[in-house]
Amino acid sequence: MARFLFATLGSLGDLHPYIAVAQALVARGHQAVIASAEDYRVPVESAGIEFAAVGPGMATFGDYQSLITRLFDGRRGPEFLMRELVMPHLRAAHDGLERAVAGADVLISHPLAVTLPLLAQRHKLPWVSTVLAPLSLMSDHDPPVIDGAPWLRHLRILGPGIYGALFRLIKRSVRHWEAPLRTFRAELGLPPTDRMAMFEGQFSPRLNLALFDAPLAQPQPDWPPNTRVCGSPVFDGAAPDARVPDDVARFLDAGEPPIVFALGSSAVWIAGDFWTQATAAAQQLGRRALLVTGPALPQDLPEGVRAFPYLPYSRVFPRAAAVVHQAGIGTLAQALRAGRPQLIVPVAFDQPDNARRAQALGLARVLPFRKAGARRLAVELDALFAGPGYAGAARSVAETLKQVDGAARAAAELIACADAGL
């Protein structure tokens, strides 16, 4: 029996995949621990997984809605994330993980768990890195859509060399963001490195698990060595969250399939009037709608429209006429498995790139979130329903993914890594 330590931070989309993999490991007789902010103790322990608190907690950052607003700024969000949310808290993250590392056989890192590789190096423990979305791989041969500069992808006609030069320029321009990490390495007595944690430094030379679905991205010659595409490990919450409430079931059974609108666990905080616009679009089309809104529950909804703060996507997406979502990688994984056509309204970070990849599969249309007013939503949804290929492509991809258990595949890779090191 081996003991696996996962370190992650971020939203529920950054937590749920690791819960799924941890459950797969426990089901095979191993131990698994998830180290993250104290805010996530309840969902982790409710799923039957051991939890280790690692600072800082969410309360450290003040008002959550203001935090998300700054994070989802297309131009300044990544800098805010690294310079104000990650780098000032290296000591707290390191010390919390130091306590959790005791007895671990394999360490597994989220891309933002930048101190875990340092602990692996200090304690001489096997380290496995993970990526949740293709964007993290920053391939010259399969260039991503970069939030705030989507036009850059049009340069792909010039070949991969232009992207290599572009990515080197980006790295040089943001290198100073990681100055505190280089200083911290020196304080720990670790040798200096030119590898940036935001880029190549996040990848383990031993094993890198790509926790996204293979239809979204094919292996490229410049991917990190020893990268394995496992598929998305999906987790919908522990009981009773994973159950569809009776009133939702009655609504779904009472008429034609509704359009399901969802924005994941982060973008809901900056939804603004999106739910009003979504409701109006559904009415323009004469369709029923189900809104998954997070904490800001709309009131006085018209007949045929219902709203709930949380619903398990795996239960409601397959009952939809179409799914409208932001293309967070966890939400997209559930939507792909539902086999329903999608209208994607990407907000920031990896979402524009995820949206482009789903669109390339022929199952989705894309409308930037900032343009998602009632009229444009109705136009795009009407085109989605009228286009004969979207529903068929969605069913085809869903059928393919029935054969994929991303959590089980990732667990098998981790167990093999532990067996090699024990």
Side-chain angles (χ1 to χ4, degrees), residues 4 6 17-28 30 209 211 228-234 337 402-416:
F4 299 88
F6 297 83
Y18 301 103
I19 293 179
V21 178
Q23 287 181 325
L25 289 166
V26 170
R28 288 157 176 76
H30 297 276
L209 300 182
L211 302 181
R228 308 282 191 273
V229 180
C230 298
S232 295
V234 292
R337 283 159 175 76
K402 280 183 180 180
Q403 316 303 319
V404 177
D405 186 337
R409 290 185 178 182
E413 292 284 356
L414 291 172
I415 292 168

PDB file of all heavy atoms in Angstrom, residues 4 6 17-28 30 209 211 228-234 337 402-416:
ATOM      1  N   PHE A   4      -0.272   8.634  -1.262  1.00  0.00           N
ATOM      2  CA  PHE A   4      -0.152   9.656  -2.287  1.00  0.00           C
ATOM      3  C   PHE A   4      -0.626  10.993  -1.729  1.00  0.00           C
ATOM      4  O   PHE A   4      -1.706  11.077  -1.139  1.00  0.00           O
ATOM      5  CB  PHE A   4      -0.997   9.281  -3.505  1.00  0.00           C
ATOM      6  CG  PHE A   4      -0.590   7.995  -4.160  1.00  0.00           C
ATOM      7  CD1 PHE A   4      -1.118   6.781  -3.736  1.00  0.00           C
ATOM      8  CD2 PHE A   4       0.332   7.987  -5.198  1.00  0.00           C
ATOM      9  CE1 PHE A   4      -0.746   5.591  -4.334  1.00  0.00           C
ATOM     10  CE2 PHE A   4       0.718   6.811  -5.806  1.00  0.00           C
ATOM     11  CZ  PHE A   4       0.180   5.604  -5.368  1.00  0.00           C
ATOM     12  N   PHE A   6      -1.632  14.811  -2.801  1.00  0.00           N
ATOM     13  CA  PHE A   6      -1.997  15.752  -3.858  1.00  0.00           C
ATOM     14  C   PHE A   6      -1.990  17.168  -3.278  1.00  0.00           C
ATOM     15  O   PHE A   6      -2.557  17.407  -2.212  1.00  0.00           O
ATOM     16  CB  PHE A   6      -3.411  15.465  -4.380  1.00  0.00           C
ATOM     17  CG  PHE A   6      -3.583  14.128  -5.030  1.00  0.00           C
ATOM     18  CD1 PHE A   6      -3.806  12.989  -4.263  1.00  0.00           C
ATOM     19  CD2 PHE A   6      -3.540  14.006  -6.413  1.00  0.00           C
ATOM     20  CE1 PHE A   6      -3.990  11.754  -4.851  1.00  0.00           C
ATOM     21  CE2 PHE A   6      -3.712  12.771  -7.007  1.00  0.00           C
ATOM     22  CZ  PHE A   6      -3.934  11.633  -6.235  1.00  0.00           C
ATOM     23  N   PRO A  17     -11.051  17.171  -9.806  1.00  0.00           N
ATOM     24  CA  PRO A  17     -10.321  16.082 -10.482  1.00  0.00           C
ATOM     25  C   PRO A  17      -9.454  15.277  -9.528  1.00  0.00           C
ATOM     26  O   PRO A  17      -9.347  14.051  -9.668  1.00  0.00           O
ATOM     27  CB  PRO A  17      -9.469  16.819 -11.519  1.00  0.00           C
ATOM     28  CG  PRO A  17     -10.182  18.109 -11.759  1.00  0.00           C
ATOM     29  CD  PRO A  17     -10.775  18.485 -10.444  1.00  0.00           C
ATOM     30  N   TYR A  18      -8.865  15.941  -8.543  1.00  0.00           N
ATOM     31  CA  TYR A  18      -7.986  15.243  -7.615  1.00  0.00           C
ATOM     32  C   TYR A  18      -8.783  14.392  -6.637  1.00  0.00           C
ATOM     33  O   TYR A  18      -8.314  13.334  -6.198  1.00  0.00           O
ATOM     34  CB  TYR A  18      -7.089  16.247  -6.901  1.00  0.00           C
ATOM     35  CG  TYR A  18      -6.249  17.035  -7.872  1.00  0.00           C
ATOM     36  CD1 TYR A  18      -6.573  18.343  -8.206  1.00  0.00           C
ATOM     37  CD2 TYR A  18      -5.164  16.453  -8.517  1.00  0.00           C
ATOM     38  CE1 TYR A  18      -5.831  19.057  -9.135  1.00  0.00           C
ATOM     39  CE2 TYR A  18      -4.410  17.151  -9.444  1.00  0.00           C
ATOM     40  CZ  TYR A  18      -4.757  18.449  -9.752  1.00  0.00           C
ATOM     41  OH  TYR A  18      -4.024  19.150 -10.669  1.00  0.00           O
ATOM     42  N   ILE A  19      -9.979  14.848  -6.283  1.00  0.00           N
ATOM     43  CA  ILE A  19     -10.851  14.001  -5.464  1.00  0.00           C
ATOM     44  C   ILE A  19     -11.166  12.715  -6.217  1.00  0.00           C
ATOM     45  O   ILE A  19     -11.123  11.609  -5.655  1.00  0.00           O
ATOM     46  CB  ILE A  19     -12.145  14.747  -5.085  1.00  0.00           C
ATOM     47  CG1 ILE A  19     -11.840  15.906  -4.135  1.00  0.00           C
ATOM     48  CG2 ILE A  19     -13.141  13.789  -4.435  1.00  0.00           C
ATOM     49  CD1 ILE A  19     -13.058  16.714  -3.724  1.00  0.00           C
ATOM     50  N   ALA A  20     -11.487  12.836  -7.501  1.00  0.00           N
ATOM     51  CA  ALA A  20     -11.820  11.650  -8.296  1.00  0.00           C
ATOM     52  C   ALA A  20     -10.645  10.677  -8.357  1.00  0.00           C
ATOM     53  O   ALA A  20     -10.810   9.456  -8.192  1.00  0.00           O
ATOM     54  CB  ALA A  20     -12.237  12.066  -9.705  1.00  0.00           C
ATOM     55  N   VAL A  21      -9.432  11.181  -8.587  1.00  0.00           N
ATOM     56  CA  VAL A  21      -8.254  10.303  -8.655  1.00  0.00           C
ATOM     57  C   VAL A  21      -7.962   9.707  -7.283  1.00  0.00           C
ATOM     58  O   VAL A  21      -7.640   8.515  -7.166  1.00  0.00           O
ATOM     59  CB  VAL A  21      -7.032  11.073  -9.187  1.00  0.00           C
ATOM     60  CG1 VAL A  21      -5.801  10.163  -9.209  1.00  0.00           C
ATOM     61  CG2 VAL A  21      -7.294  11.624 -10.583  1.00  0.00           C
ATOM     62  N   ALA A  22      -8.087  10.518  -6.232  1.00  0.00           N
ATOM     63  CA  ALA A  22      -7.854  10.017  -4.875  1.00  0.00           C
ATOM     64  C   ALA A  22      -8.831   8.896  -4.543  1.00  0.00           C
ATOM     65  O   ALA A  22      -8.450   7.873  -3.938  1.00  0.00           O
ATOM     66  CB  ALA A  22      -7.978  11.153  -3.875  1.00  0.00           C
ATOM     67  N   GLN A  23     -10.093   9.053  -4.924  1.00  0.00           N
ATOM     68  CA  GLN A  23     -11.068   7.991  -4.675  1.00  0.00           C
ATOM     69  C   GLN A  23     -10.695   6.713  -5.421  1.00  0.00           C
ATOM     70  O   GLN A  23     -10.861   5.606  -4.890  1.00  0.00           O
ATOM     71  CB  GLN A  23     -12.461   8.449  -5.094  1.00  0.00           C
ATOM     72  CG  GLN A  23     -13.089   9.470  -4.157  1.00  0.00           C
ATOM     73  CD  GLN A  23     -14.485   9.879  -4.599  1.00  0.00           C
ATOM     74  OE1 GLN A  23     -14.767   9.973  -5.790  1.00  0.00           O
ATOM     75  NE2 GLN A  23     -15.358  10.131  -3.639  1.00  0.00           N
ATOM     76  N   ALA A  24     -10.192   6.860  -6.644  1.00  0.00           N
ATOM     77  CA  ALA A  24      -9.780   5.684  -7.408  1.00  0.00           C
ATOM     78  C   ALA A  24      -8.605   4.981  -6.734  1.00  0.00           C
ATOM     79  O   ALA A  24      -8.526   3.741  -6.744  1.00  0.00           O
ATOM     80  CB  ALA A  24      -9.417   6.091  -8.839  1.00  0.00           C
ATOM     81  N   LEU A  25      -7.700   5.733  -6.143  1.00  0.00           N
ATOM     82  CA  LEU A  25      -6.572   5.137  -5.424  1.00  0.00           C
ATOM     83  C   LEU A  25      -7.042   4.417  -4.166  1.00  0.00           C
ATOM     84  O   LEU A  25      -6.601   3.296  -3.872  1.00  0.00           O
ATOM     85  CB  LEU A  25      -5.555   6.220  -5.062  1.00  0.00           C
ATOM     86  CG  LEU A  25      -4.750   6.800  -6.220  1.00  0.00           C
ATOM     87  CD1 LEU A  25      -4.034   8.072  -5.799  1.00  0.00           C
ATOM     88  CD2 LEU A  25      -3.737   5.768  -6.740  1.00  0.00           C
ATOM     89  N   VAL A  26      -7.933   5.050  -3.426  1.00  0.00           N
ATOM     90  CA  VAL A  26      -8.450   4.430  -2.203  1.00  0.00           C
ATOM     91  C   VAL A  26      -9.205   3.143  -2.534  1.00  0.00           C
ATOM     92  O   VAL A  26      -9.093   2.134  -1.822  1.00  0.00           O
ATOM     93  CB  VAL A  26      -9.353   5.429  -1.440  1.00  0.00           C
ATOM     94  CG1 VAL A  26     -10.097   4.741  -0.307  1.00  0.00           C
ATOM     95  CG2 VAL A  26      -8.519   6.595  -0.899  1.00  0.00           C
ATOM     96  N   ALA A  27      -9.959   3.159  -3.626  1.00  0.00           N
ATOM     97  CA  ALA A  27     -10.698   1.964  -4.033  1.00  0.00           C
ATOM     98  C   ALA A  27      -9.758   0.806  -4.353  1.00  0.00           C
ATOM     99  O   ALA A  27     -10.165  -0.360  -4.294  1.00  0.00           O
ATOM    100  CB  ALA A  27     -11.572   2.275  -5.244  1.00  0.00           C
ATOM    101  N   ARG A  28      -8.510   1.116  -4.680  1.00  0.00           N
ATOM    102  CA  ARG A  28      -7.511   0.089  -4.986  1.00  0.00           C
ATOM    103  C   ARG A  28      -6.639  -0.244  -3.782  1.00  0.00           C
ATOM    104  O   ARG A  28      -5.610  -0.904  -3.922  1.00  0.00           O
ATOM    105  CB  ARG A  28      -6.655   0.547  -6.175  1.00  0.00           C
ATOM    106  CG  ARG A  28      -7.426   0.515  -7.496  1.00  0.00           C
ATOM    107  CD  ARG A  28      -6.821   1.446  -8.522  1.00  0.00           C
ATOM    108  NE  ARG A  28      -7.497   1.361  -9.819  1.00  0.00           N
ATOM    109  CZ  ARG A  28      -8.678   1.908 -10.080  1.00  0.00           C
ATOM    110  NH1 ARG A  28      -9.325   2.595  -9.136  1.00  0.00           N
ATOM    111  NH2 ARG A  28      -9.242   1.784 -11.271  1.00  0.00           N
ATOM    112  N   HIS A  30      -5.075   1.917  -1.572  1.00  0.00           N
ATOM    113  CA  HIS A  30      -4.002   2.833  -1.223  1.00  0.00           C
ATOM    114  C   HIS A  30      -4.522   3.982  -0.358  1.00  0.00           C
ATOM    115  O   HIS A  30      -5.739   4.119  -0.149  1.00  0.00           O
ATOM    116  CB  HIS A  30      -3.347   3.371  -2.496  1.00  0.00           C
ATOM    117  CG  HIS A  30      -2.694   2.298  -3.315  1.00  0.00           C
ATOM    118  ND1 HIS A  30      -1.429   1.842  -3.073  1.00  0.00           N
ATOM    119  CD2 HIS A  30      -3.162   1.573  -4.377  1.00  0.00           C
ATOM    120  CE1 HIS A  30      -1.122   0.890  -3.951  1.00  0.00           C
ATOM    121  NE2 HIS A  30      -2.161   0.716  -4.752  1.00  0.00           N
ATOM    122  N   LEU A 209       0.893  13.974 -15.899  1.00  0.00           N
ATOM    123  CA  LEU A 209      -0.430  13.461 -16.230  1.00  0.00           C
ATOM    124  C   LEU A 209      -1.286  14.578 -16.813  1.00  0.00           C
ATOM    125  O   LEU A 209      -1.515  15.595 -16.155  1.00  0.00           O
ATOM    126  CB  LEU A 209      -1.106  12.876 -14.989  1.00  0.00           C
ATOM    127  CG  LEU A 209      -0.380  11.712 -14.310  1.00  0.00           C
ATOM    128  CD1 LEU A 209      -1.203  11.213 -13.119  1.00  0.00           C
ATOM    129  CD2 LEU A 209      -0.108  10.578 -15.298  1.00  0.00           C
ATOM    130  N   LEU A 211      -4.753  15.606 -17.442  1.00  0.00           N
ATOM    131  CA  LEU A 211      -6.068  15.217 -16.936  1.00  0.00           C
ATOM    132  C   LEU A 211      -7.178  15.902 -17.730  1.00  0.00           C
ATOM    133  O   LEU A 211      -8.072  16.526 -17.170  1.00  0.00           O
ATOM    134  CB  LEU A 211      -6.169  15.539 -15.436  1.00  0.00           C
ATOM    135  CG  LEU A 211      -5.108  14.875 -14.559  1.00  0.00           C
ATOM    136  CD1 LEU A 211      -5.323  15.252 -13.081  1.00  0.00           C
ATOM    137  CD2 LEU A 211      -5.117  13.348 -14.723  1.00  0.00           C
ATOM    138  N   ARG A 228       1.307  11.617 -20.123  1.00  0.00           N
ATOM    139  CA  ARG A 228       0.266  10.622 -20.385  1.00  0.00           C
ATOM    140  C   ARG A 228      -1.088  11.325 -20.368  1.00  0.00           C
ATOM    141  O   ARG A 228      -1.430  11.986 -19.389  1.00  0.00           O
ATOM    142  CB  ARG A 228       0.264   9.537 -19.313  1.00  0.00           C
ATOM    143  CG  ARG A 228       1.610   8.886 -19.056  1.00  0.00           C
ATOM    144  CD  ARG A 228       1.967   7.864 -20.128  1.00  0.00           C
ATOM    145  NE  ARG A 228       3.131   7.102 -19.702  1.00  0.00           N
ATOM    146  CZ  ARG A 228       4.395   7.468 -19.902  1.00  0.00           C
ATOM    147  NH1 ARG A 228       4.644   8.605 -20.536  1.00  0.00           N
ATOM    148  NH2 ARG A 228       5.394   6.718 -19.475  1.00  0.00           N
ATOM    149  N   VAL A 229      -1.858  11.165 -21.435  1.00  0.00           N
ATOM    150  CA  VAL A 229      -3.220  11.717 -21.478  1.00  0.00           C
ATOM    151  C   VAL A 229      -4.152  10.693 -20.845  1.00  0.00           C
ATOM    152  O   VAL A 229      -4.374   9.609 -21.400  1.00  0.00           O
ATOM    153  CB  VAL A 229      -3.654  12.036 -22.908  1.00  0.00           C
ATOM    154  CG1 VAL A 229      -5.078  12.602 -22.911  1.00  0.00           C
ATOM    155  CG2 VAL A 229      -2.693  13.021 -23.553  1.00  0.00           C
ATOM    156  N   CYS A 230      -4.688  11.029 -19.688  1.00  0.00           N
ATOM    157  CA  CYS A 230      -5.519  10.088 -18.934  1.00  0.00           C
ATOM    158  C   CYS A 230      -7.007  10.242 -19.219  1.00  0.00           C
ATOM    159  O   CYS A 230      -7.774   9.294 -19.053  1.00  0.00           O
ATOM    160  CB  CYS A 230      -5.292  10.284 -17.433  1.00  0.00           C
ATOM    161  SG  CYS A 230      -3.603   9.980 -16.900  1.00  0.00           S
ATOM    162  N   GLY A 231      -7.432  11.428 -19.629  1.00  0.00           N
ATOM    163  CA  GLY A 231      -8.847  11.747 -19.675  1.00  0.00           C
ATOM    164  C   GLY A 231      -9.246  12.492 -18.414  1.00  0.00           C
ATOM    165  O   GLY A 231      -8.527  12.486 -17.413  1.00  0.00           O
ATOM    166  N   SER A 232     -10.387  13.144 -18.463  1.00  0.00           N
ATOM    167  CA  SER A 232     -10.829  13.968 -17.331  1.00  0.00           C
ATOM    168  C   SER A 232     -11.340  13.095 -16.190  1.00  0.00           C
ATOM    169  O   SER A 232     -12.237  12.275 -16.396  1.00  0.00           O
ATOM    170  CB  SER A 232     -11.949  14.914 -17.770  1.00  0.00           C
ATOM    171  OG  SER A 232     -11.486  15.843 -18.717  1.00  0.00           O
ATOM    172  N   PRO A 233     -10.788  13.261 -14.988  1.00  0.00           N
ATOM    173  CA  PRO A 233     -11.369  12.599 -13.823  1.00  0.00           C
ATOM    174  C   PRO A 233     -12.568  13.432 -13.344  1.00  0.00           C
ATOM    175  O   PRO A 233     -12.400  14.561 -12.897  1.00  0.00           O
ATOM    176  CB  PRO A 233     -10.238  12.632 -12.786  1.00  0.00           C
ATOM    177  CG  PRO A 233      -9.027  13.159 -13.506  1.00  0.00           C
ATOM    178  CD  PRO A 233      -9.548  13.969 -14.649  1.00  0.00           C
ATOM    179  N   VAL A 234     -13.767  12.914 -13.471  1.00  0.00           N
ATOM    180  CA  VAL A 234     -14.964  13.696 -13.176  1.00  0.00           C
ATOM    181  C   VAL A 234     -15.484  13.363 -11.782  1.00  0.00           C
ATOM    182  O   VAL A 234     -15.485  12.210 -11.354  1.00  0.00           O
ATOM    183  CB  VAL A 234     -16.073  13.479 -14.228  1.00  0.00           C
ATOM    184  CG1 VAL A 234     -15.656  14.070 -15.565  1.00  0.00           C
ATOM    185  CG2 VAL A 234     -16.397  12.006 -14.395  1.00  0.00           C
ATOM    186  N   ARG A 337     -19.445  14.587 -21.952  1.00  0.00           N
ATOM    187  CA  ARG A 337     -20.007  13.275 -21.626  1.00  0.00           C
ATOM    188  C   ARG A 337     -21.529  13.245 -21.717  1.00  0.00           C
ATOM    189  O   ARG A 337     -22.123  12.168 -21.807  1.00  0.00           O
ATOM    190  CB  ARG A 337     -19.552  12.864 -20.219  1.00  0.00           C
ATOM    191  CG  ARG A 337     -18.116  12.375 -20.205  1.00  0.00           C
ATOM    192  CD  ARG A 337     -17.462  12.446 -18.839  1.00  0.00           C
ATOM    193  NE  ARG A 337     -16.123  11.854 -18.907  1.00  0.00           N
ATOM    194  CZ  ARG A 337     -15.070  12.464 -19.453  1.00  0.00           C
ATOM    195  NH1 ARG A 337     -15.205  13.680 -19.964  1.00  0.00           N
ATOM    196  NH2 ARG A 337     -13.889  11.868 -19.492  1.00  0.00           N
ATOM    197  N   LYS A 402     -17.425   7.312 -23.175  1.00  0.00           N
ATOM    198  CA  LYS A 402     -17.969   6.274 -22.293  1.00  0.00           C
ATOM    199  C   LYS A 402     -16.920   5.242 -21.939  1.00  0.00           C
ATOM    200  O   LYS A 402     -16.993   4.582 -20.900  1.00  0.00           O
ATOM    201  CB  LYS A 402     -19.154   5.581 -22.978  1.00  0.00           C
ATOM    202  CG  LYS A 402     -20.462   6.333 -22.914  1.00  0.00           C
ATOM    203  CD  LYS A 402     -21.576   5.513 -23.557  1.00  0.00           C
ATOM    204  CE  LYS A 402     -22.906   6.238 -23.518  1.00  0.00           C
ATOM    205  NZ  LYS A 402     -23.995   5.445 -24.156  1.00  0.00           N
ATOM    206  N   GLN A 403     -15.960   5.081 -22.833  1.00  0.00           N
ATOM    207  CA  GLN A 403     -14.913   4.074 -22.630  1.00  0.00           C
ATOM    208  C   GLN A 403     -13.743   4.604 -21.801  1.00  0.00           C
ATOM    209  O   GLN A 403     -12.780   3.872 -21.554  1.00  0.00           O
ATOM    210  CB  GLN A 403     -14.384   3.599 -23.989  1.00  0.00           C
ATOM    211  CG  GLN A 403     -15.449   3.312 -25.030  1.00  0.00           C
ATOM    212  CD  GLN A 403     -16.464   2.297 -24.575  1.00  0.00           C
ATOM    213  OE1 GLN A 403     -16.115   1.295 -23.951  1.00  0.00           O
ATOM    214  NE2 GLN A 403     -17.739   2.546 -24.872  1.00  0.00           N
ATOM    215  N   VAL A 404     -13.813   5.883 -21.393  1.00  0.00           N
ATOM    216  CA  VAL A 404     -12.672   6.523 -20.730  1.00  0.00           C
ATOM    217  C   VAL A 404     -12.989   6.784 -19.272  1.00  0.00           C
ATOM    218  O   VAL A 404     -13.979   7.444 -18.945  1.00  0.00           O
ATOM    219  CB  VAL A 404     -12.318   7.856 -21.428  1.00  0.00           C
ATOM    220  CG1 VAL A 404     -11.174   8.553 -20.702  1.00  0.00           C
ATOM    221  CG2 VAL A 404     -11.954   7.614 -22.885  1.00  0.00           C
ATOM    222  N   ASP A 405     -12.155   6.260 -18.384  1.00  0.00           N
ATOM    223  CA  ASP A 405     -12.244   6.557 -16.957  1.00  0.00           C
ATOM    224  C   ASP A 405     -10.948   7.271 -16.575  1.00  0.00           C
ATOM    225  O   ASP A 405      -9.945   6.636 -16.254  1.00  0.00           O
ATOM    226  CB  ASP A 405     -12.423   5.277 -16.147  1.00  0.00           C
ATOM    227  CG  ASP A 405     -12.667   5.535 -14.662  1.00  0.00           C
ATOM    228  OD1 ASP A 405     -12.273   6.615 -14.177  1.00  0.00           O
ATOM    229  OD2 ASP A 405     -13.235   4.657 -13.992  1.00  0.00           O
ATOM    230  N   GLY A 406     -10.982   8.601 -16.656  1.00  0.00           N
ATOM    231  CA  GLY A 406      -9.760   9.369 -16.413  1.00  0.00           C
ATOM    232  C   GLY A 406      -9.193   9.159 -15.028  1.00  0.00           C
ATOM    233  O   GLY A 406      -7.965   9.103 -14.856  1.00  0.00           O
ATOM    234  N   ALA A 407     -10.052   9.038 -14.028  1.00  0.00           N
ATOM    235  CA  ALA A 407      -9.578   8.833 -12.664  1.00  0.00           C
ATOM    236  C   ALA A 407      -8.861   7.497 -12.537  1.00  0.00           C
ATOM    237  O   ALA A 407      -7.787   7.402 -11.919  1.00  0.00           O
ATOM    238  CB  ALA A 407     -10.748   8.913 -11.691  1.00  0.00           C
ATOM    239  N   ALA A 408      -9.431   6.447 -13.130  1.00  0.00           N
ATOM    240  CA  ALA A 408      -8.819   5.120 -13.055  1.00  0.00           C
ATOM    241  C   ALA A 408      -7.481   5.092 -13.789  1.00  0.00           C
ATOM    242  O   ALA A 408      -6.507   4.485 -13.309  1.00  0.00           O
ATOM    243  CB  ALA A 408      -9.766   4.071 -13.630  1.00  0.00           C
ATOM    244  N   ARG A 409      -7.423   5.737 -14.949  1.00  0.00           N
ATOM    245  CA  ARG A 409      -6.160   5.758 -15.699  1.00  0.00           C
ATOM    246  C   ARG A 409      -5.076   6.518 -14.940  1.00  0.00           C
ATOM    247  O   ARG A 409      -3.924   6.082 -14.881  1.00  0.00           O
ATOM    248  CB  ARG A 409      -6.383   6.397 -17.073  1.00  0.00           C
ATOM    249  CG  ARG A 409      -7.205   5.547 -18.033  1.00  0.00           C
ATOM    250  CD  ARG A 409      -7.279   6.197 -19.415  1.00  0.00           C
ATOM    251  NE  ARG A 409      -8.029   5.376 -20.351  1.00  0.00           N
ATOM    252  CZ  ARG A 409      -8.220   5.677 -21.629  1.00  0.00           C
ATOM    253  NH1 ARG A 409      -7.681   6.799 -22.124  1.00  0.00           N
ATOM    254  NH2 ARG A 409      -8.916   4.889 -22.429  1.00  0.00           N
ATOM    255  N   ALA A 410      -5.441   7.657 -14.362  1.00  0.00           N
ATOM    256  CA  ALA A 410      -4.459   8.420 -13.592  1.00  0.00           C
ATOM    257  C   ALA A 410      -3.995   7.626 -12.374  1.00  0.00           C
ATOM    258  O   ALA A 410      -2.798   7.607 -12.042  1.00  0.00           O
ATOM    259  CB  ALA A 410      -5.060   9.755 -13.165  1.00  0.00           C
ATOM    260  N   ALA A 411      -4.934   6.958 -11.705  1.00  0.00           N
ATOM    261  CA  ALA A 411      -4.572   6.154 -10.539  1.00  0.00           C
ATOM    262  C   ALA A 411      -3.606   5.040 -10.923  1.00  0.00           C
ATOM    263  O   ALA A 411      -2.626   4.769 -10.212  1.00  0.00           O
ATOM    264  CB  ALA A 411      -5.836   5.576  -9.896  1.00  0.00           C
ATOM    265  N   ALA A 412      -3.852   4.399 -12.053  1.00  0.00           N
ATOM    266  CA  ALA A 412      -2.960   3.327 -12.493  1.00  0.00           C
ATOM    267  C   ALA A 412      -1.549   3.855 -12.764  1.00  0.00           C
ATOM    268  O   ALA A 412      -0.550   3.201 -12.412  1.00  0.00           O
ATOM    269  CB  ALA A 412      -3.531   2.659 -13.748  1.00  0.00           C
ATOM    270  N   GLU A 413      -1.439   5.033 -13.376  1.00  0.00           N
ATOM    271  CA  GLU A 413      -0.119   5.626 -13.618  1.00  0.00           C
ATOM    272  C   GLU A 413       0.589   5.937 -12.303  1.00  0.00           C
ATOM    273  O   GLU A 413       1.803   5.720 -12.161  1.00  0.00           O
ATOM    274  CB  GLU A 413      -0.272   6.899 -14.446  1.00  0.00           C
ATOM    275  CG  GLU A 413      -0.748   6.688 -15.875  1.00  0.00           C
ATOM    276  CD  GLU A 413       0.345   6.156 -16.794  1.00  0.00           C
ATOM    277  OE1 GLU A 413       1.508   6.026 -16.339  1.00  0.00           O
ATOM    278  OE2 GLU A 413       0.041   5.868 -17.965  1.00  0.00           O
ATOM    279  N   LEU A 414      -0.151   6.454 -11.343  1.00  0.00           N
ATOM    280  CA  LEU A 414       0.452   6.804 -10.051  1.00  0.00           C
ATOM    281  C   LEU A 414       0.892   5.559  -9.280  1.00  0.00           C
ATOM    282  O   LEU A 414       1.950   5.551  -8.636  1.00  0.00           O
ATOM    283  CB  LEU A 414      -0.545   7.623  -9.226  1.00  0.00           C
ATOM    284  CG  LEU A 414      -0.835   9.031  -9.759  1.00  0.00           C
ATOM    285  CD1 LEU A 414      -1.981   9.668  -8.975  1.00  0.00           C
ATOM    286  CD2 LEU A 414       0.407   9.908  -9.683  1.00  0.00           C
ATOM    287  N   ILE A 415       0.094   4.515  -9.337  1.00  0.00           N
ATOM    288  CA  ILE A 415       0.455   3.286  -8.656  1.00  0.00           C
ATOM    289  C   ILE A 415       1.717   2.695  -9.273  1.00  0.00           C
ATOM    290  O   ILE A 415       2.630   2.220  -8.561  1.00  0.00           O
ATOM    291  CB  ILE A 415      -0.709   2.275  -8.704  1.00  0.00           C
ATOM    292  CG1 ILE A 415      -1.877   2.777  -7.843  1.00  0.00           C
ATOM    293  CG2 ILE A 415      -0.265   0.889  -8.237  1.00  0.00           C
ATOM    294  CD1 ILE A 415      -3.161   2.017  -8.056  1.00  0.00           C
ATOM    295  N   ALA A 416       1.816   2.738 -10.600  1.00  0.00           N
ATOM    296  CA  ALA A 416       3.029   2.245 -11.269  1.00  0.00           C
ATOM    297  C   ALA A 416       4.244   3.062 -10.846  1.00  0.00           C
ATOM    298  O   ALA A 416       5.340   2.522 -10.658  1.00  0.00           O
ATOM    299  CB  ALA A 416       2.843   2.281 -12.781  1.00  0.00           C
TER     300      ALA A 416
END
